[in-house]
Amino acid sequence: MKTLIPDNRIHTGVRNLDEVLHGGIPVGELTVFAGTPGAGKTTLAHQIIFKNATPKKPALIFQTLSEPTAKTLRYLGHFEFYDPKKLEDGSVTFIDLGEILRAKGLAQAVELLMTHVKKVKPTFVVIDSFKVFEDLALNREELRKFTYEVAVNLMAWECTAFLLGEFSTNDIETNPLFSIIDGIISLRIRKESGEHQRFIQVLKMRGTDHSRDEHSFAINAEGIEIYAPRVTIQRIPGSDKMLTGNGPYRVQLGIPHLDKLLGEGVVSGSTFLISGVAGTGKTLLLLEFIYRGASEFGEKGVFFSFEETKERIIANGKGMGWDIDGQMKKGNIEIVFIPQPNIIVEKDLLMMKDYIEKMGAKRIAVDSSSVFVHKITEPQIVREKMFQLATLVQRSQGVGFFASDIPYGSNKISRFGVEETVVDGIILLTASSNDKTLRRDRFLEIYKLRNTAHANGRFKIDIGNNGIVIHTNKSRLAAPVRKAKAKQVKRKNE
């Protein structure tokens, strides 16, 4: 779902930045891109400029003492947003002020800048780096005067300007520039979850109720890509399917023995935590959930694996007699493998969102959610990311199965102890030694399921040639469950 850009806003061309800004950058404002060297300030400015500049709406990019224009153009050639034709038709003009500034200093800088502005009449102006002027100023009063004159002149010409600089938090609090400008976008690099990551934050933007959160981003061949799951993965009010007068829309899983335990069916948009120690059958249950949906109902499903490769998952399915490959060729199943060392939670959430929406998936399996968030040390952040996973399912109006590895010997029902507060249902898989048979018996229990009368207690399970077999009998199925299933049949007939 793309953000609508009003006429008085600029579409940045940076993925998810318009969503963070709640509608793009306001036209005619002066915005500072602040951050350490290498944080992405120049890339951000160029990406916006090459998205928006045209011969009728030209852009001037002033290079001060940072790097020569020739070097900048070589660097830009690596990005897909770079269009050399825009240099030829006058849409974008680079002006190198470095040599003149070094010779004549700050005194003639305003006159020099405005000479070019009056000549080109640009819609957009970039000054990279504006921090240089602070270094050239003889004193604070000269800097204040210069900053004021530049800002007033650019506003008088109704330019949308981006002023780039290695401004620190102290600069933002004390530099006179920041009392004049309209917006501040901060970019920084820091270590997070054991990795160096880039972050962007809109500290100030007049005229827009922007997100004030810090969002991670990456620089790739397309330019800057902001992940921003807090903004882009949100629950949509009123999106849950309802059957008028009959309660929530429900679906069958297609796993016969499990459907017997789930009463009248699973509410569309629900998520399950499939919890258990290693070897209890979690991955197999997730795979059968995906396969049955595709083979029995033609429902598209995606299996996100952070542990097993695609090839091994397909082979596991063949061992159960399931034609996973055939369903993949039909476009009903997609398996996405992300190795544990490569997990970047915010990035992968966006990747999952793209897969689910593009495919139209109604079944989503994550194996495992505990590996997915294993680098996160704060429980509240784990809960937030699990909520965002569940939101992807809610938005798809499908069903989600998230595997959770329980530590051996614990009484937990999830790895981190917070996941169970987010999901709608919990299927608990356990195992215990059988002294008579000298083997380990496996069990399944519907530990929790919102809005559904389900069977209670543990049920013995076996892994057969065609998947998981749950040993049930009518005396173990509570009356409310049987009545619920009868009600479901009646609803279908209606």
Side-chain angles (χ1 to χ4, degrees), residues 425-468:
I426 299 171
I427 296 177
L428 189 60
L429 301 176
T430 56
S432 61
S433 298
N434 189 320
D435 294 335
K436 293 182 179 180
T437 60
L438 300 180
R439 53 170 281 181
R440 292 181 66 81
D441 291 333
R442 294 185 175 94
F443 299 90
L444 179 148
E445 178 184 359
I446 310 299
Y447 190 90
K448 161 189 171 181
L449 184 55
R450 290 174 182 152
N451 305 314
T452 301
H454 57 83
N456 295 314
R458 293 198 311 167
F459 295 85
K460 189 175 180 297
I461 64 173
D462 287 313
I463 297 177
N465 294 329
N466 197 29
I468 290 179

Side-chain angles (χ1 to χ4, degrees), residues 299-312:
E299 292 180 349
K300 294 185 177 183
V302 57
F303 191 108
F304 296 107
S305 174
F306 299 96
E307 302 189 51
E308 299 280 2
T309 64
K310 180 187 294 188
E311 292 73 21
R312 292 190 67 172

Side-chain angles (χ1 to χ4, degrees), residues 283-331:
T283 298
L284 189 63
L285 181 57
L286 264 65
L287 188 56
E288 184 167 2
F289 160 69
I290 292 292
Y291 177 71
R292 298 296 181 194
S295 60
E296 301 293 331
F297 305 113
E299 292 180 349
K300 294 185 177 183
V302 57
F303 191 108
F304 296 107
S305 174
F306 299 96
E307 302 189 51
E308 299 280 2
T309 64
K310 180 187 294 188
E311 292 73 21
R312 292 190 67 172
I313 292 170
I314 293 173
N316 291 340
K318 284 183 179 178
M320 293 292 109
W322 304 331
D323 185 15
I324 303 291
D325 230 351
Q327 291 296 331
M328 290 178 69
K329 289 175 182 177
K330 291 180 181 179

Side-chain angles (χ1 to χ4, degrees), residues 45-114:
H46 289 162
Q47 192 168 347
I48 296 172
I49 291 301
F50 277 90
K51 166 68 179 177
N52 290 280
T54 66
K56 291 184 178 180
K57 295 182 177 181
L60 284 180
I61 301 178
F62 291 100
Q63 307 274 101
T64 56
L65 298 182
S66 51
E67 58 186 24
T69 301
K71 185 176 179 181
T72 299
L73 294 178
R74 286 199 302 271
Y75 158 79
L76 282 173
H78 298 292
F79 294 109
E80 294 178 8
F81 65 75
Y82 174 62
D83 183 1
K85 292 180 181 178
K86 293 205 171 189
L87 302 178
E88 299 169 6
D89 65 15
S91 299
V92 179
T93 302
F94 283 85
I95 299 171
D96 194 343
L97 299 178
E99 186 175 339
I100 298 173
L101 285 174
R102 282 190 291 270
K104 298 185 178 181
L106 193 62
Q108 297 185 28
V110 174
E111 183 179 345
L112 190 60
L113 285 166
M114 295 317 301

Side-chain angles (χ1 to χ4, degrees), residues 22 52 292 364 385 432 482 485:
H22 291 186
N52 290 280
R292 298 296 181 194
I364 297 98
K385 299 310 165 189
S432 61
R482 295 198 296 274
K485 292 184 72 66

Side-chain angles (χ1 to χ4, degrees), residues 141-332:
E141 184 56 37
E142 185 183 28
L143 175 63
R144 184 182 296 275
K145 181 180 178 182
F146 167 78
T147 300
Y148 180 78
E149 288 183 6
V150 170
V152 167
N153 277 284
L154 291 176
M155 286 188 288
W157 283 89
E158 298 181 343
C159 297
T160 300
F162 305 117
L163 313 179
L164 284 53
E166 294 75 31
F167 297 106
S168 65
T169 302
N170 182 64
D171 291 322
I172 294 173
E173 294 174 353
T174 61
N175 191 310
L177 167 67
F178 293 92
S179 63
I180 301 170
I181 53 89
D182 304 292
I184 306 170
I185 297 179
S186 171
L187 299 92
R188 59 181 70 92
I189 303 175
R190 73 162 186 270
K191 199 168 185 179
E192 186 83 9
S193 300
E195 298 176 343
H196 284 90
Q197 298 182 36
R198 289 184 166 92
F199 294 89
I200 188 169
Q201 185 177 19
V202 181
L203 300 177
K204 171 185 177 183
M205 190 65 66
R206 287 184 180 135
T208 176
D209 182 22
H210 57 84
S211 166
R212 287 156 177 79
D213 290 323
E214 192 178 52
H215 304 284
S216 60
F217 73 94
I219 300 177
N220 52 38
E222 296 179 359
I224 284 180
E225 181 180 45
I226 300 172
Y227 303 135
R230 289 180 180 175
V231 174
T232 59
I233 303 177
Q234 294 186 340
R235 303 236 165 172
I236 303 172
S239 66
D240 290 318
K241 291 181 180 178
M242 301 294 287
L243 296 180
T244 305
N246 287 321
Y249 182 83
R250 294 180 181 272
V251 297
Q252 297 290 303
L253 298 181
I255 305 174
H257 299 279
L258 184 55
D259 281 329
K260 288 180 181 179
L261 308 183
L262 295 175
E264 56 188 326
V266 178
V267 176
S268 177
S270 295
T271 50
F272 284 82
L273 201 65
I274 312 301
S275 295
V277 300
T280 50
K282 298 186 298 299
T283 298
L284 189 63
L285 181 57
L286 264 65
L287 188 56
E288 184 167 2
F289 160 69
I290 292 292
Y291 177 71
R292 298 296 181 194
S295 60
E296 301 293 331
F297 305 113
E299 292 180 349
K300 294 185 177 183
V302 57
F303 191 108
F304 296 107
S305 174
F306 299 96
E307 302 189 51
E308 299 280 2
T309 64
K310 180 187 294 188
E311 292 73 21
R312 292 190 67 172
I313 292 170
I314 293 173
N316 291 340
K318 284 183 179 178
M320 293 292 109
W322 304 331
D323 185 15
I324 303 291
D325 230 351
Q327 291 296 331
M328 290 178 69
K329 289 175 182 177
K330 291 180 181 179
N332 286 338

